[in-house]
Amino acid sequence: MTAPISLHAGGSLYDRIGPDALSALVTRFYSYVAQEPLLTPIFPADLTVTAEKQLAFLTGFLGGPPLYHERYGHPRLRARHLPFEITPARARAWLACMNAALRDAPQVGAEQISVDDARELYAALSRVAVHMVNAEDHPTS
């Protein structure tokens, strides 16, 4: 996956959101992931390293410094996620957590994310979530 193409006058999505707001977003996001029953089975109990990797990935993905590449190599997102059963329901749950974290972003101050930037980020991550699906949903009994 490559960074979303930005034709926006304000620069890349990373430039518009900024590192502080992106870090705060990742923190909020993982607070939701930790409470989501569909996601907890595929995430470690301690989400510290996972959040650090997510922040590094998003930084580069959104047009900032290539932190993930520098620290861990090429993201190979699909390959790195293949060991985990990612169903359409889990992808939707992951996106719901991100949507909640974006909605909870402060409306003023250094950690603010504009509505337009939140929409752009959510759209880009929606494409990533669909790309990560590698299993079918299990029928309910």
Side-chain angles (χ1 to χ4, degrees), residues 14-90:
Y14 178 80
D15 293 334
R16 295 188 318 258
I17 291 174
D20 293 338
L22 187 59
S23 179
L25 174 67
V26 169
T27 298
R28 283 191 307 278
F29 169 72
Y30 280 106
S31 71
Y32 287 109
V33 167
Q35 300 172 47
E36 173 50 62
L38 282 173
L39 299 178
T40 55
I42 62 171
F43 280 92
D46 182 352
L47 293 168
T48 305
V49 172
T50 304
E52 289 170 2
K53 287 181 176 182
Q54 176 80 309
L55 180 58
F57 170 75
L58 287 175
T59 296
F61 179 71
L62 301 179
L67 302 179
Y68 193 96
H69 282 79
E70 292 169 355
R71 296 175 188 165
Y72 309 106
H74 191 283
R76 300 179 10 244
L77 285 183
R78 185 140 170 93
R80 289 184 195 263
H81 288 80
L82 280 175
F84 309 101
E85 187 177 82
I86 302 174
T87 64
R90 282 186 169 148

